[in-house]
């Protein structure tokens, strides 16, 4: 049998010393089931920034700026309010379905299709108010399509009224408007936080901090309308904390302790040392066999020489 060569031995040693590493890395990966365990489904809210779309030079293409006061258009204010409300709701871990997130025209039917397919538990349509011919008309109002949405409208009105009190926005209360969103089976409101036709309120609507106060008031109303939003957020945070703990515990259990690693290192080194000793012994035996061959030849040569000497003596 041929003695193992040194490169083969070193390779064996390296394999012995490192074979544990990939196994350990695999074992310490947190399993997907641990992190997704008992996470509640997201609470869904639908948000509709009213109006939308710009004139593209073709009157046959529909567009709808809503109320226009100078260069200020309702469609831009409602989109800004919608995106701000989405940000706030996301901090509550709510999944927000928007009817639009850009300046585009949508029919009421288009919007309703989005809301109906969203699985939302509440729906807020965002607008700003207008009163042609009397710029002194002002205040906030919340519209609702049917009696079932009245409690929701009242809580949204309460949140808005409180949030906009520092801006001296009058609270005009809630009003039934049964021609819009009449098919809504979920709590539904149309929010009109201020009048774009009122100069003071138009100036306020152009201030980002006022628009932030509007969406904060709406969020406060939503949280008051359904405590499950905060319950779901807490449950989600608890489930995530638990999953993180499990992942940590799993990592601690599957990762060998430093002592264990050192033990494997010693075992690997011992195996390599043993194989090296065997290699040296085999090499020594082979070289000693090599040395006997010329001495045997030498012996034969000596014998031949002796015989020749004997023969020469006979002659
Ligand atoms: Zn409008």
């Amino acid at each position: 049998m041929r003695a193992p060569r040194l490169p083969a031995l070193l390779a064996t040693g390296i394999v012995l010393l490192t074979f544990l590493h990939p196994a350990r890395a695999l074992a310490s990966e947190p399993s997907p089931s641990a992190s997704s365990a008992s996470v509640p489904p997201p609470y869904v809210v639908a948000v509709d920034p009213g109006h939308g779309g710009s004139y593209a030079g073709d009157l046959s293409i529909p567009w709808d700026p809503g109320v226009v006061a100078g260069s200020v258009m309702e469609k831009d204010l409602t989109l800004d309010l919608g995106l701000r409300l989405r940000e706030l709701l996301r901090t509550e871990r709510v999944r927000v379905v928007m009817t639009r997130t850009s300046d585009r025209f949508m029919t009421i039917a288009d919007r309703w299709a989005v809301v109906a397919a969203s699985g939302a538990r509440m729906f807020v349509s965002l607008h700003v108010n207008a009163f042609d011919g009397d710029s002194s008309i002002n205040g906030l109002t919340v519209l609702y399509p049917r009696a079932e949405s009245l409690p929701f409208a009242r809580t949204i009105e309460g949140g808005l009224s409180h949030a906009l009190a520092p801006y001296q926005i009058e609270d005009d209360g809630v009003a039934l408007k049964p021609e819009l969103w009449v098919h809504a089976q979920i709590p539904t409101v149309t929010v009109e936080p201020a009048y774009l036709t009122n100069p003071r309120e138009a100036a306020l609507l152009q201030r980002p901090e006022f628009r932030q106060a509007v969406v904060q008031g709406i969020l406060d109303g939503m949280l008051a309308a359904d405590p499950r939003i905060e319950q779901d957020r807490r449950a989600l945070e608890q489930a995530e904390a638990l999953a993180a703990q499990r992942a940590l515990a799993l990592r601690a259990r599957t990762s060998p302790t430093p002592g264990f690693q050192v033990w494997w290192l010693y075992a690997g080194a011992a195996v390599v040392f043993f194989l090296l000793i065997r290699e040296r012994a085999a090499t020594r035996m082979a070289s000693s066999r090599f040395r006997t061959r010329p001495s045997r030849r030498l012996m034969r040569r000596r014998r031949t020489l002796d015989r020749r000497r004997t023969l020469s003596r006979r002659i």
Side-chain angles (χ1 to χ4, degrees):
M1 199 181 90
R2 269 174 68 94
R5 294 269 163 243
L6 194 63
L9 275 176
L10 289 175
T12 313
I14 288 163
V15 168
L16 273 170
L17 290 172
T18 57
F19 86 98
L20 279 175
H21 180 72
R24 199 165 59 237
L26 273 176
S28 62
E29 290 288 325
S31 72
S33 59
S35 54
S36 62
S38 68
V39 175
Y43 193 102
V44 184
V45 166
V47 174
D48 171 48
H51 312 280
S54 293
Y55 177 59
D58 184 351
L59 283 171
S60 67
I61 299 170
W63 63 295
D64 174 17
V67 182
V68 178
S71 61
V72 183
M73 298 185 204
E74 182 181 2
K75 60 163 185 163
D76 298 324
L77 293 171
T78 58
L79 181 56
D80 179 86
L81 289 171
L83 296 174
R84 284 172 189 274
L85 183 56
R86 181 173 71 173
E87 280 310 299
L88 278 187
L89 283 165
R90 281 178 173 172
T91 64
E92 290 293 330
R93 313 299 296 268
V94 168
R95 193 164 80 82
V96 183
V97 175
M98 307 276 290
T99 53
R100 69 179 179 102
T101 54
S102 60
D103 181 24
R104 71 187 187 103
F105 176 82
M106 287 184 85
T107 64
I108 294 296
D110 291 340
R111 292 167 198 267
W112 184 244
V114 172
V115 176
S118 68
R121 295 199 223 176
M122 52 177 71
F123 172 40
V124 171
S125 183
L126 299 162
H127 288 255
V128 295
N129 227 335
F131 196 94
D132 290 333
D134 189 350
S135 62
S136 70
I137 301 293
N138 64 332
L140 72 90
T141 189
V142 177
L143 310 170
Y144 61 99
R146 35 197 275 174
E148 290 88 334
S149 285
L150 177 59
F152 183 53
R154 285 206 192 287
T155 55
I156 297 293
E157 177 218 355
L160 264 178
S161 182
H162 184 260
L164 300 186
Y167 298 95
Q168 289 89 45
I169 299 293
E170 280 183 34
D171 183 358
D172 279 352
V174 299
L176 181 68
K177 194 181 182 189
E179 68 266 33
L180 199 60
W181 313 124
V182 285
H183 302 297
Q185 300 293 316
I186 53 174
T188 297
V189 288
T190 298
V191 174
E192 308 264 15
Y195 279 78
L196 195 54
T197 47
N198 177 277
R200 194 182 82 87
E201 292 188 354
L204 283 172
L205 281 166
Q206 289 173 73
R207 285 166 56 181
E209 69 270 23
F210 179 79
R211 297 198 297 273
Q212 193 61 31
V214 169
V215 295
Q216 185 63 55
I218 295 170
L219 176 74
D220 293 345
M222 287 175 166
L223 298 180
D226 192 350
R228 285 192 61 181
I229 296 176
E230 286 188 289
Q231 284 168 14
D232 282 5
R233 175 179 55 76
R234 278 196 294 271
L236 197 65
E237 285 168 356
Q238 278 169 6
E240 283 173 356
L242 197 68
Q245 272 179 4
R246 276 183 194 160
L248 266 176
L250 192 70
R251 198 167 295 154
R253 207 165 54 237
T254 52
S255 293
T257 59
F260 186 72
Q261 284 176 9
V262 167
W263 189 87
W264 272 107
L265 198 72
Y266 283 150
V271 169
V272 171
F273 184 68
F274 168 74
L275 291 174
L276 274 170
I277 293 287
R278 237 179 56 167
E279 162 84 2
R280 275 182 73 85
T283 313
R284 206 173 295 153
M285 273 178 71
S287 62
S288 67
R289 268 201 305 275
F290 180 74
R291 271 201 304 274
T292 59
R293 253 175 265 137
S295 64
R296 269 182 199 160
R297 226 178 282 142
L298 203 66
M299 290 284 278
R300 270 202 301 276
R301 210 173 155 73
R302 275 180 198 152
R303 271 202 300 276
T304 316
L305 281 172
D306 288 348
R307 218 177 296 146
R308 278 183 192 161
R309 259 180 230 138
T310 318
L311 278 172
S312 63
R313 261 181 241 140
R314 277 176 201 166
I315 291 169

